[in-house]
Amino acid sequence: GETRADLRAVVTVGSETVLDRDVAELQDIWEETSFQLERQQCAITCVEQEQAGMKGRKEPPYKLSFTPEPTADAILASSRSARIAVVRQEGSNGDRE
């Protein structure tokens, strides 16, 4: 894979493109179930305001303190793997990370 600057998710299998969509559009699809549940539990106007507010969302202004470089082939071919853990506070929106 590769990163993109145009905020699109593009997936190819072989030479066939099987997905080419705007990331914000895919996030809207992902969030729709949550909004449907919220409509059952909350004031509908509040849910609609939250959903409308997400349309104008912008990505955080991340800045790296280094210049990224491709991972060396020797590391990618290694049978050793790094052990990591992701710690989240209860109730965090981990699905949006």
Side-chain angles (χ1 to χ4, degrees):
E2 61 188 47
T3 58
R4 303 177 59 90
D6 61 2
L7 299 177
R8 294 191 69 75
V10 179
V11 177
T12 56
V13 177
S15 60
E16 181 184 358
T17 300
V18 295
L19 176 72
D20 185 354
R21 302 279 289 267
D22 180 73
V23 170
E25 182 182 338
L26 293 171
Q27 287 174 328
D28 288 343
I29 293 167
W30 176 265
E31 294 289 340
E32 185 57 33
T33 301
S34 295
F35 283 122
Q36 291 297 328
L37 288 171
E38 284 189 16
R39 282 182 177 85
Q40 302 298 315
Q41 302 169 350
C42 305
I44 292 178
T45 55
C46 292
V47 176
E48 290 171 348
Q49 286 176 355
E50 180 185 359
Q51 194 169 18
M54 291 184 76
K55 298 284 186 201
R57 64 184 166 240
K58 302 286 184 216
E59 67 278 354
Y62 295 117
K63 296 199 185 303
L64 298 177
S65 60
F66 61 94
T67 302
E69 295 182 12
T71 304
D73 289 338
I75 294 172
L76 292 174
S78 174
S79 61
R80 294 180 55 206
S81 61
R83 296 181 63 119
I84 64 165
V86 177
V87 180
R88 294 191 181 114
Q89 182 177 2
E90 183 179 349
S92 71
N93 294 320
D95 62 321
R96 294 183 186 132
E97 295 175 1

